[in-house]
Amino acid sequence: MSEQPNQETAAHVRKTRVGVVTSNKMSKTLVVEHVARVPHPKFNKIVKRSKKYYVHDEKGEAQIGDKVRIVETRPLSKLKRWSLEKVLSH
């Protein structure tokens, strides 16, 4: 009989992204733009794909233009599923 790994003991690793803060006008919320460099599916040329994330910032420490690391979290509102982990540079 083959043994299968126990699904309950495996810890979920949270996704992280690095991006630039584009807006901090909301209370405790940032808008972070993440730019990913991915190969084009047909031509294999490296193209940039950007995506905006709504990020929870409890202390209000990040400003527009800051490079930040964000981490996946439980849904906090209709759009917020990410939380600020660290401000990397100003």
Side-chain angles (χ1 to χ4, degrees), residues 8-39:
E8 285 75 31
T9 59
H12 178 70
V13 178
R14 295 185 177 196
K15 296 175 189 172
T16 61
R17 302 280 187 266
V18 175
V20 177
V21 177
T22 57
S23 173
N24 64 352
K25 303 294 183 194
M26 295 170 275
S27 174
K28 298 185 181 180
T29 303
L30 304 170
V31 180
V32 175
E33 185 176 26
H34 171 255
V35 178
R37 299 176 72 236
V38 296

Side-chain angles (χ1 to χ4, degrees), residues 1-69:
M1 195 173 220
S2 66
E3 292 196 25
Q4 296 190 5
N6 191 353
Q7 301 275 334
E8 285 75 31
T9 59
H12 178 70
V13 178
R14 295 185 177 196
K15 296 175 189 172
T16 61
R17 302 280 187 266
V18 175
V20 177
V21 177
T22 57
S23 173
N24 64 352
K25 303 294 183 194
M26 295 170 275
S27 174
K28 298 185 181 180
T29 303
L30 304 170
V31 180
V32 175
E33 185 176 26
H34 171 255
V35 178
R37 299 176 72 236
V38 296
H40 187 278
K42 184 175 180 180
F43 303 113
N44 288 328
K45 179 183 178 181
I46 300 296
V47 293
K48 292 180 183 177
R49 299 280 165 93
S50 63
K51 183 168 181 171
K52 289 197 278 186
Y53 294 100
Y54 287 81
V55 178
H56 184 68
D57 181 12
E58 184 69 35
K59 300 173 187 170
E61 53 195 31
Q63 301 299 321
I64 295 176
D66 288 354
K67 192 173 187 178
V68 294
R69 180 182 295 129

